[in-house]
Every structure is written in structure tokens, then in C-alpha cells.
Amino acid sequence: MASVDAFADEQAKKPISQVEQSYQAGDSSPVGTTDMHQNINPKAPPMTKEEFEKAKNIYFQRCAGCHGVLRKGATGKPLTTDKTLASGTEYLKVFIQYGSAGGMPNWGTSGELTEAEVDMMARYVQQEPPTPPEWGMKEMMASLKVIVPPEQRPTKKMNALDLDNLFSVTLRDAGEIALIDGNSKKIVKILKTGYAVHISRMSKSGRYLYVIGRDARINLIDLWMPEPTNVAEIKVGLEARSVETSKYKGYEDRYAIAGTYWPPQFVIMDGDTLKPLKIESTRGMTVDTQEYHPEPRVASIVGSHFNPEFIVNAKETGKVLVVNYKDLDNLRVTNINAARFLHDGGFDSTGRYFMVAANASNKIAVIDTKEDKLAALVDVGKIPHPGRGANFVHPKFGPVWATSDLGDEGISMIGTDPVKHKAQAWKVVQTLKGQGSGSLFIKTHPKSNNLWVDTPLNPEAKISQSVAVFDIRNLEKGFEVLPIGEWAGISDDGAKRIVQPEYNKAGDEIWFSVWSAKDKQSALVVVDDKTRKLKAVIKDPGLVTPTGKFNVYNTQHDVY
């Protein structure tokens, strides 16, 4: 036990930040609620049925986000039985109790797990991992509901809503979205969706709104109806994050695509019914060690403006899959080696280059969607998390795209003009220092001189409840802090984390979510972009855990 005790002492000296712990631990996985096949490993330490079920739930709540459903490793190390059995129960207990400097949370000493639960989890990871069911065409078709068939939908807009300035707001823990009129600031309608909607995406025409929950349920909302209405839904797997629609000329609104965390695959669907047409697995070899990975989760998808293609990002393999939808019967997929572990990103100002964060590799991969090739891999700060990023013209270096970081206070600006500013292209031309780590989103607008950076995962309430804003014309001046949580004027006992700045269509307002727990009051705060003064606060009992917000026009036209 001497070496184990020494390890524990060493880990106690190397605590990782609360921000990194929150990120590495991840959110609970919806996969854990499904029935799974389980093989008994005779070499593993014994567990009762009750212990196994409890440990399985803890694993999917706390561990699957990092180590993967099958424990093959993701941002966390593999926990396969060839490794865990060799380590033994006592050694594993130390890791679970104290964590590691590499990012493993200290589940025991933080109080998240009891001593008995630490012991139980050490025994659990020595069992063979339970295998979730696959989800194919049969299961998708069984879940498909075409509530209002296309032939029964209107042929023109049947309401007086200003759709261009409508916001789709995720009500995370309620399993709903709120549609809010950007002019009156009134809730138009609250619609039931999947759990914890991750993104809202618009069809090319601006008629259809697609939302996907983390439980892999997609809802198709027709904004032309007398009032916005769910017209179709489907469940494309057990856990998911991404949905997108076809944008290329001649294919507008024709197809939708969704990618899943489990099973690791993507599905192309009819754009107006969600009927599944083509399912493709993402399982394959990693870009670095070229080892087979059975669980490459689809983290993000964008539709190309230059070709009839979807850009699909497979997290664990580090591969960008360019999926040509011109001929679904003879599907052509181009593999682009980028870097592990691909997450989220957005286009540069021209719409040609897709900038995607390989967050555990601390890199941004630049994908040329016209030539279908990797343009560059750019080293940035610790755990880049841009959302869709921010495009603006730097006063010295020309067009840039910016990302903030989860793991540090850095804000990296990458040159994006390989024609007129070739020397700066695909390089970090400047790094700003924000108010702290824990950022999830960065935002600006073509008509704005402001660059906004949130920090909702920072452990200090003063930082997580505020935002930093820079003047693009004078970046060296540093940032101003706006107390958005205070401006919301809601109950003091909520977390009031400020997340995801989002502009209105005109680019003269910036909206923020004030995110507290499900049983606490939350709100939306609207700020005048020019004066940086409070303009409006939106409060309503229906605004339960608001997080992501998506302006219809900006989402439709990739304005960010």
C-alpha cells in the first residue's frame, strides 16, 4: 500500500480546477436509463445485483461523458477490464477517491461519493461494461411521428410573426423550448421537446426549426402554421447533440441530418417529415495511433455552402467526415484527419472554412469546405470551447475568427484570410486575457464593435454571474465587466450563471440567459449593444433553466 498512499499524497498536492472537473465529469448520459446486456466476469470482484445497478447509474451520471459508454476512453483514459483488473480494487479506489492531475475528479474527497460508493465503483469498473442496444432503421421508424403531413401544411406563412427576429430558447431541464418574439420580448409559445435541447437549427428557407435533445429526440417545428407547431418528431438514438439541414443550392430544405453519441452514427432524413433515409456508422480508426475505436460520438454537424455536403465531426477518432448527399444510394464520404477530440465550431466570415475545436488536443482544425481538405491545425489555449465562434476584422491583422477556452482565461484570434492577409492566415495573431476560465461561448456581430465572452463554469460566482466585453477597435484596452446576474433582478439564492450571448437580427441587442436550477427563478437579460446598458429583463414561470438561444435569421444565415 505504500505506493498507493504515496500516489494519494501526490494527487492531493495537484488539484485540478473546479472548471476542469465540471467539464471532465460531463453531464449525465441518457444511455444509462436503457436496459443493457451484461456479461458476468468471473475474474472481477463480486457485486450484488443491487450494487451493480446503482454503480451503473453512477457511471452514466458521472463517468460516461469522459470514459465512454463502452469504457474505451474518450477525453478520459480507457477503463477496459484488461487495465482495471490488473490495477486491482485498492489502486482504483485511490484514483476515484482523490482524482488525478490529468483531469479525473476527486469524487471521494469532494463529497460526491461516499466511501462505500467509491469501493463499489472500483469493483464495478472491473466488471465487463454493459452494452446498450443499437438503434437502427426499425427503431427509428417505430419512433417516427408525422403529426401534420406536408400536404396538410400551409403553402405560405399564416401568422403575423416577425420570424427573422424570433428566438428559440432552450428550457433545458423542462424538456421544452420557448419561442420568444425579439421585438416585444413576449413568449409566443412553449413547445415540448426532448430533454436538454442542445441546439436549434433552421432550414435554409427559414420555415422549419429543428431541435434535438440530448435524449436524441428531434422535433420539427413549422413556423408558417397559424401558430408554430410540432409537425413531426423522431428518436434517432439513445443520446445525441447535433442536427443540421441541407443548404446547398437546389437542395434547400430537402434533407436533415442528425448525429448521435449512442449509437455512434449519423442518419440522413427527409427534411419535411424526418423519415430516415440513410444511416451510417462512425466507428473506425483514430487519427493519431490508428487504433480502432468503437464509440466515436458525433459532436457537431454543419451544412456546406459550396457543395451538396454535410460536415460531420467524429469526436473520439478526430476525423471530419464530408458526407455528399447528392446520391444517397451511392453515398460518398471523404475522411479528413484532424485531431482528437472534435467538439463544436463555426464558419469563418466567408462561409468557406469550418473552424472546429479539438478541445482535448487544445487545437482548432480548419476545414476547407470548398476543396474538402484540412487547411490547418492551429494550437490555441486550454480546452477551446467556441460555440460557433466570433468573426470580425482585427484592426491590425484583418479578418479573424475567435475562440474562448474552458480551461484558461485565454481568447485566441486566428487569421482567416489566406488571400489578402496570407502571413496571418491560420495562425493565432493575438491572445487576449478574459476575466477567467470556464467560458462556453464567444460572440460578436458584423454590425457590432463588441466582443462578448461568457464564463458560466467559473467557480467564482462573481465571474460566472457576469460577462466580459471587449471593444474590437481597441482590444488592448481590456474588457469591461457587466453584472448581468445582478441586472436580472431575480432571487438571490439561484446560481444565476450567465451563458450564451446571442444577437437579434439587427445586431443592436445582445441576449443572455441567466441560468439557475430547475427549482429556482431564471431569466433572460437583453442589453443594448451600443451603450452596453440594460434594455430589458424577460421573466416568466415558464422560463425553466434557459440556456441556449438561437435567433432565427442569424442561425439560418450563419451570422456570428
Side-chain angles (χ1 to χ4, degrees), residues 267-529:
V267 55
I268 300 175
M269 301 160 281
D270 272 329
D272 59 0
T273 66
L274 301 181
K275 179 183 177 181
L277 303 173
K278 190 76 171 181
I279 304 170
E280 289 290 318
S281 173
T282 57
R283 294 177 170 110
M285 314 306 285
T286 62
V287 298
D288 44 13
T289 57
Q290 298 195 44
E291 295 175 284
Y292 178 76
H293 201 293
E295 196 185 338
R297 299 173 288 179
V298 177
S300 58
I301 305 174
V302 294
S304 172
H305 300 278
F306 287 85
N307 296 294
E309 293 169 343
F310 293 118
I311 315 301
V312 179
N313 299 280
K315 184 185 285 281
E316 279 70 28
T317 54
K319 290 187 176 182
V320 178
L321 310 178
V322 181
V323 181
N324 189 297
Y325 49 75
K326 190 173 182 179
D327 182 358
L328 296 187
D329 290 330
N330 300 283
L331 195 69
R332 189 174 82 240
V333 180
T334 302
N335 282 265
I336 300 175
N337 286 353
R340 302 172 76 184
F341 296 78
L342 298 174
H343 192 63
D344 202 0
F347 288 108
D348 77 312
S349 59
T350 70
R352 172 173 175 171
Y353 297 97
F354 180 59
M355 319 283 287
V356 58
N359 50 30
S361 298
N362 302 327
K363 297 179 185 295
I364 298 294
V366 183
I367 307 300
D368 183 344
T369 65
K370 183 178 181 180
E371 300 293 336
D372 290 346
K373 64 182 182 181
L374 181 71
L377 282 175
V378 185
D379 291 319
V380 291
K382 191 172 185 180
I383 315 176
H385 197 288
R388 307 205 85 177
N391 288 296
F392 59 95
V393 178
H394 191 283
K396 182 177 179 181
F397 300 112
V400 298
W401 177 90
T403 180
S404 51
D405 300 331
L406 259 163
D408 60 34
E409 70 277 14
I411 299 157
S412 301
M413 285 164 279
I414 299 170
T416 59
D417 182 4
V419 178
K420 295 182 180 179
H421 296 81
K422 189 174 182 180
Q424 288 79 37
W426 319 134
K427 297 176 183 176
V428 174
V429 297
Q430 186 176 4
T431 300
L432 300 176
K433 185 176 181 180
Q435 65 169 334
S437 58
S439 177
L440 292 179
F441 297 98
I442 185 170
K443 186 73 72 171
T444 189
H445 188 277
K447 297 180 181 179
S448 174
N449 292 315
N450 290 322
L451 178 66
W452 302 86
V453 184
D454 70 11
T455 43
L457 294 187
N458 194 282
E460 294 187 28
K462 186 177 181 181
I463 295 177
S464 67
Q465 295 178 6
S466 62
V467 296
V469 55
F470 293 83
D471 185 339
I472 290 169
R473 299 164 298 182
N474 187 8
L475 294 167
E476 286 75 13
K477 182 181 177 181
F479 56 84
E480 179 185 358
V481 176
L482 301 188
I484 303 296
E486 179 183 323
W487 287 356
I490 59 178
S491 55
D492 292 334
D493 57 346
K496 293 185 286 189
R497 298 182 184 276
I498 310 306
V499 65
Q500 207 234 7
E502 175 77 348
Y503 276 91
N504 63 344
K505 179 192 175 185
D508 58 10
E509 290 178 356
I510 184 85
W511 291 40
F512 298 92
S513 294
V514 184
W515 173 25
S516 290
K518 187 176 182 179
D519 60 345
K520 304 294 182 183
Q521 189 179 24
S522 294
L524 300 177
V525 168
V526 182
V527 175
D528 185 297
D529 184 70

Side-chain angles (χ1 to χ4, degrees), residues 24-44:
Q24 295 290 356
D27 291 323
S28 59
S29 168
V31 178
T33 61
T34 62
D35 292 331
M36 301 186 194
H37 176 70
Q38 168 64 19
N39 291 322
I40 301 299
N41 187 339
K43 297 180 180 179

Side-chain angles (χ1 to χ4, degrees), residues 153-171:
R153 299 173 197 167
T155 57
K156 62 180 181 180
K157 188 164 83 80
M158 301 296 291
N159 57 62
L161 294 172
D162 180 3
L163 295 185
D164 280 353
N165 206 27
L166 191 70
F167 286 77
S168 174
V169 180
T170 296
L171 306 179

Side-chain angles (χ1 to χ4, degrees), residues 8 140 146 186 197 200 210 240 254 311 346 361:
M140 289 186 199
V146 182
K186 301 294 185 183
V197 163
S200 297
Y210 300 78
R254 185 182 299 185
I311 315 301
S361 298

